[in-house]
Each structure stands twice: as C-alpha cells, then as structure tokens.
Amino acid sequence: MSTKIALKFSRSNRIYRPSEPVEGKIVIKSPSSISHYGIRLSVNGSVNLQVRGGSAGVIETFYGVVKPITIVNKSIEVKPSGKIGSGTTEVPFTMVLKQNGEKSLERFYETFHGTDVSIQYLFTVDIARGYLYKSLSATMEVIVESDKADLLERPVSPEMAIFYITQDTQRHPLLPEIKSGGFRVTGRMSTLCSLLDPISGELTVETSAVPISSIDIHLLRVESILMGEKIVTETSLIQTTQMEMSVVI
C-alpha cells in the first residue's frame, strides 16, 4: 500500500468568497511513518483559454496567443520538516485568498467554466521528501463567488427589455405559408437579475398563420476576449426550456 494524500475542505460544496478563510484538512494515509521536509499549501487562480474537441472556434484560434491572466498565486507552510506517523494523519490548514487591504494581481473574478474560457482556483498540497523520494501532492478546485460588498444591493430593480418577433425579423428561411401569412410575437424580459434567481418575463403570440405546437426559450452563454482593439465573441447554448401555452379566448 502506497502513501495517499487528499484535501478535505470544511465546506462540502467548496464554495468560498475571496475574503473568507478557506479551511480544511490535509489527510495523509500511510502504511508506515515517513520523513518530510515540510508541507506546503498553495493556491493558483487564473483565467485561461481552453482547447475543445472537434473543430476550432473563433476564440479558440487565439489559444497560445493570449496568455493566462493570474488572479492569485500564494503559498503557505502548513507544517515544518518532521515525521508523519503510520495510519491516517489529518493536518488542519487555513488560508485567506485576499486579506483586507491586500492588493491582488487582478480582480477576483467568479469561478467560470465556459466553452472557450475558464476561471479556476486550484489548491495544491505538496509534501517534500528529498531527492531520493518523489514528492507527494494533491490538487482540488474550490469555487469562488463574489464578495457581498461587490454585489448589487438587493432588491435588484429589474430592467425589462421589450421585444417583438415577426417574419421580417428572421434571418433564416421560412415556410412559404409563414412568410406570406405572417406572425407576430411580443413580450418583455428582465435583463438584470441574479444567477440565483429565476429569469422572468412575458410572451404573447398575437397572430400566426400556422398553428404553434411549442415555444422554446434558449439560454445562451456569450464569451468574449479582447485582442488589441478588437473584441472576439462566441456564443454557445447552455439550456433549452419549453414553455407551457395557454389560450385566451
């Protein structure tokens, strides 16, 4: 049986804010006692472009050109040189991502896993064992949310965007009966809301030349990068929701 090491955080969901202490334990399981030259814990937060499988998108073509943006990169010594006994050993740790008054390398963006862009905060524990032995390490991601001070004060007054859809607003080919008979859909939707709250709005089918069997709402993710003076944007589908229809006579 080989020595195993793992990170166990105080919160099972591993969600923290930058000003909150990230607490947990380094769990070491070893069949025999081992000597070490110190246990260190580091955190690295960065914004990266990532390569997808399949055909390359517009943003992905800049992979290797746009350098990762470092958000935080710090390390602490959890335990000095010594020995770890056999069996299971738990070493507690505490680390604050951003101290009060401390200048971070960049602003603390929230954790994000997009199609082309990712924002990650990775915690890594390293146990140095000298030249004759391979160092022991383990890495785990924590989810970072914005501090309350950075959030909009609640209640957020929603900004309602009014929209309409007709045969003249569509860019894709339409059936002849729809193009000649026409249709009109109007509505409004909240454009300012928390990700934790539902997106609300209204939609009315005023006229339609053909029967409507269903109405789907697509939630899209928009990712952009700035290259010099040019902004490159790509859109990907996140979620599709089918609406229930009611007929008013």
Side-chain angles (χ1 to χ4, degrees):
M1 177 181 174
S2 60
T3 301
K4 295 182 179 180
I5 180 174
L7 284 167
K8 184 178 180 181
F9 293 90
S10 59
R11 300 177 184 176
S12 58
N13 57 11
R14 306 196 308 277
I15 298 177
Y16 297 89
R17 291 190 169 92
S19 60
E20 294 178 334
V22 179
E23 300 176 331
K25 297 177 181 178
I26 301 168
V27 182
I28 306 163
K29 295 182 179 180
S30 178
S32 60
S33 62
I34 59 173
S35 299
H36 64 88
Y37 290 91
I39 301 176
R40 298 195 67 84
L41 181 68
S42 59
V43 57
N44 179 266
S46 60
V47 184
N48 297 275
L49 291 185
Q50 55 192 14
V51 177
R52 300 169 295 171
S55 59
V58 178
I59 291 181
E60 190 178 339
T61 57
F62 294 104
Y63 182 81
V65 177
V66 180
K67 295 182 179 180
I69 300 173
T70 300
I71 302 173
V72 60
N73 188 0
K74 63 195 312 183
S75 177
I76 61 172
E77 184 180 67
V78 180
K79 198 175 184 67
S81 301
K83 283 190 175 182
I84 299 173
S86 60
T88 300
T89 302
E90 295 184 346
V91 182
F93 66 84
T94 300
M95 179 186 284
V96 178
L97 296 177
K98 183 180 181 182
Q99 300 282 357
N100 291 332
E102 180 183 19
K103 292 184 178 180
S104 59
L105 300 177
E106 290 286 337
R107 61 170 291 187
F108 271 82
Y109 298 96
E110 289 191 324
T111 294
F112 176 76
H113 291 282
T115 304
D116 300 281
V117 181
S118 69
I119 303 175
Q120 284 185 299
Y121 296 85
L122 299 176
F123 274 76
T124 300
V125 56
D126 286 296
I127 301 179
R129 300 192 61 200
Y131 295 106
L132 299 179
Y133 300 94
K134 185 178 180 181
S135 297
L136 302 173
S137 65
T139 300
M140 184 170 287
E141 181 183 9
V142 299
I143 311 301
V144 173
E145 291 185 345
S146 295
D147 274 311
K148 292 182 179 179
D150 297 331
L151 300 176
L152 295 173
E153 293 185 4
R154 300 180 68 102
V156 176
S157 56
E159 295 181 0
M160 303 299 290
I162 299 174
F163 64 89
Y164 70 93
I165 306 172
T166 68
Q167 68 277 5
D168 298 326
T169 63
Q170 304 308 295
R171 298 179 180 178
H172 60 279
L174 300 174
L175 295 173
E177 54 268 34
I178 296 179
K179 195 169 184 179
S180 60
F183 68 93
R184 181 178 176 84
V185 177
T186 60
R188 59 178 187 165
M189 178 176 291
S190 174
T191 59
L192 179 61
C193 59
S194 169
L195 291 177
L196 301 177
D197 297 332
I199 301 173
S200 60
E202 300 174 359
L203 187 144
T204 303
V205 180
E206 296 184 357
T207 59
S208 178
V210 298
I212 296 177
S213 58
S214 65
I215 297 177
D216 294 339
I217 295 181
H218 300 296
L219 179 62
L220 303 176
R221 175 196 293 120
V222 179
E223 298 175 88
S224 303
I225 63 171
L226 180 63
M227 286 292 297
E229 298 180 353
K230 183 180 180 181
I231 297 178
V232 182
T233 301
E234 277 201 354
T235 303
S236 56
L237 179 65
I238 296 178
Q239 179 180 322
T240 298
T241 302
Q242 190 171 89
M243 297 177 56
E244 294 183 3
M245 298 181 60
S246 60
V247 179
V248 179
I249 300 177

